[in-house]
Amino acid sequence: MVGKFVEYPFDTIKVRLQTQPLDRPYFNGPWHCFKCTIKQEGLRGLFTGMASPMVGSMVENAALFVGYRQVQRLIREYSATAEERVAMSQMAEADLPQLSLPQLVLAGTASGAMASFVLTPVELVKCKLQVQLAESTGAAIAGNQNITTRSIRYRGPMHVISYTLKNQGLSGFYRGYLATLIREAGGGAFWFGVYEYACAVMMRRRNTTNKKDLSAAELMLAGGLGGAGYNLSFYPVDVIKSHMQTDQELLGSARPRSFIQTTREVYAGAGIKGFYRGCGITVARSLPTSAIIFLTYETLSDYFG
């Protein structure tokens, strides 16, 4: 939760950069977006919609790491002989045989796919709140009263939830689910895969096979690299997701665009660079956040077994 609080202003800037109009962008970069948000909305504007992801981050990380460990167990059981399964049933978690890197990547992919089901509604609520003020801020920046802006419809997360449920039903919470699934499954492969690879390299240098022998700094370095890999690998899909989840607010569209349609329109409006707006700041903020997450995970795993 502390990590989410620290990184949330960066996430707000990222979403606003991603979803600004393709033909007339309000902001020329992260720093410009930050200054304009502070000027027009105050510090509070950077934390718009934070309640939903604060709760969601706990569920998300729990789903990711629990899923990661459970899929590893399934892989071991599926690939082991009957005798090996009996032997493993009597082993402590730390003594179980190591999986190969491809098997760990598979476990990361599966855990990300499972987390996407929980994460999609959380991200939808967050994005809707983050962009609604960006429209009015953008108009003020442009200094043009003829710019069409959407009224600020939502008072908070509960208002988004009640409005979506009333007007679109449960399915309304899963706008952008395909994009979230692709991002989380592919990103999970890179997040855990890069982390495990970095740990393996450092363990070889220390001539050990146990992560317990790695220092906190080494675990944090591996975690930071995993976070960078996650965000770099599927960032364009995250841009598409943000557009899909904010169609109604930014385009006034009651009918959601498909994944392919959104991709085509982003490319037509801004070219390749349209898929990478806000990428730099997203990768930068993921380094310390993922470093802390993985260090906490390994520390708790070591403590509780």
Side-chain angles (χ1 to χ4, degrees):
M1 291 182 68
V2 174
K4 181 60 69 175
F5 181 83
V6 172
E7 75 167 18
Y8 194 78
F10 299 98
D11 188 74
T12 298
I13 293 170
K14 178 204 77 170
V15 172
R16 292 185 172 189
L17 289 171
Q18 287 178 337
T19 57
Q20 62 185 326
L22 298 172
D23 58 338
R24 46 179 177 82
Y26 300 143
F27 314 109
N28 55 33
W31 180 240
H32 185 218
C33 180
F34 174 80
K35 289 192 298 182
C36 293
T37 300
I38 292 294
K39 181 179 179 180
Q40 297 297 325
E41 304 164 35
L43 188 62
R44 184 179 179 182
L46 295 172
F47 292 91
T48 303
M50 190 176 69
S52 172
M54 283 291 281
V55 175
S57 66
M58 294 186 291
V59 179
E60 176 195 1
N61 286 325
L64 276 171
F65 284 104
V66 170
Y68 186 55
R69 296 187 74 165
Q70 291 302 318
V71 174
Q72 286 185 64
R73 284 199 181 101
L74 290 174
I75 291 173
R76 286 192 183 95
E77 290 182 11
Y78 181 79
S79 59
T81 63
E83 292 79 8
E84 288 173 334
R85 282 195 287 269
V86 172
M88 286 191 295
S89 66
Q90 300 172 350
M91 292 181 184
E93 186 79 26
D95 298 326
L96 290 171
Q98 293 288 324
L99 296 179
S100 66
L101 184 61
Q103 289 174 321
L104 292 170
V105 169
L106 175 61
T109 303
S111 66
M114 289 185 285
S116 67
F117 187 77
V118 175
L119 192 58
T120 303
V122 174
E123 293 252 322
L124 180 128
V125 173
K126 172 185 73 70
C127 287
K128 284 181 180 293
L129 288 168
Q130 286 175 323
V131 300
Q132 63 177 358
L133 291 178
E135 278 283 284
S136 55
T137 297
I141 293 165
N144 186 347
Q145 298 302 317
N146 293 325
I147 291 179
T148 302
T149 59
R150 311 295 169 198
S151 60
I152 299 175
R153 175 179 295 153
Y154 307 116
R155 296 185 297 271
M158 293 307 299
H159 191 196
V160 179
I161 292 170
S162 62
Y163 180 89
T164 303
L165 191 61
K166 179 180 179 181
N167 291 277
Q168 299 159 20
L170 286 174
S171 63
F173 291 103
Y174 283 89
R175 277 191 174 185
Y177 174 67
L178 176 60
T180 308
L181 174 63
I182 294 171
R183 186 196 70 178
E184 290 300 306
F190 276 87
W191 201 46
F192 287 107
V194 172
Y195 170 73
E196 296 288 0
Y197 177 76
C199 284
V201 170
M202 288 184 278
M203 286 190 293
R204 281 199 299 271
R205 292 183 62 184
R206 284 182 171 268
N207 198 27
T208 181
T209 59
N210 198 324
K211 286 181 189 171
K212 293 180 181 180
D213 296 325
L214 297 179
S215 66
E218 288 171 320
L219 291 173
M220 291 181 73
L221 174 60
L225 291 173
Y230 166 83
N231 283 286
L232 273 173
S233 57
F234 283 83
Y235 190 81
V237 180
D238 186 57
V239 173
I240 295 166
K241 177 203 72 72
S242 295
H243 277 273
M244 293 177 72
Q245 292 186 324
T246 56
D247 274 352
Q248 188 177 17
E249 287 68 34
L250 300 182
L251 300 180
S253 173
R255 185 175 182 179
R257 291 179 294 175
S258 69
F259 182 88
I260 298 298
Q261 183 184 1
T262 305
T263 303
R264 287 173 176 168
E265 291 182 10
V266 171
Y267 181 76
I272 292 296
K273 67 179 182 181
F275 294 102
Y276 287 94
R277 284 177 174 171
C279 183
I281 194 172
T282 302
V283 173
R285 58 103 170 169
S286 73
L287 292 169
T289 303
S290 291
I292 293 169
I293 288 173
F294 275 107
L295 176 62
T296 304
Y297 167 69
E298 294 294 352
T299 302
L300 293 177
S301 295
D302 187 33
Y303 184 80
F304 291 106

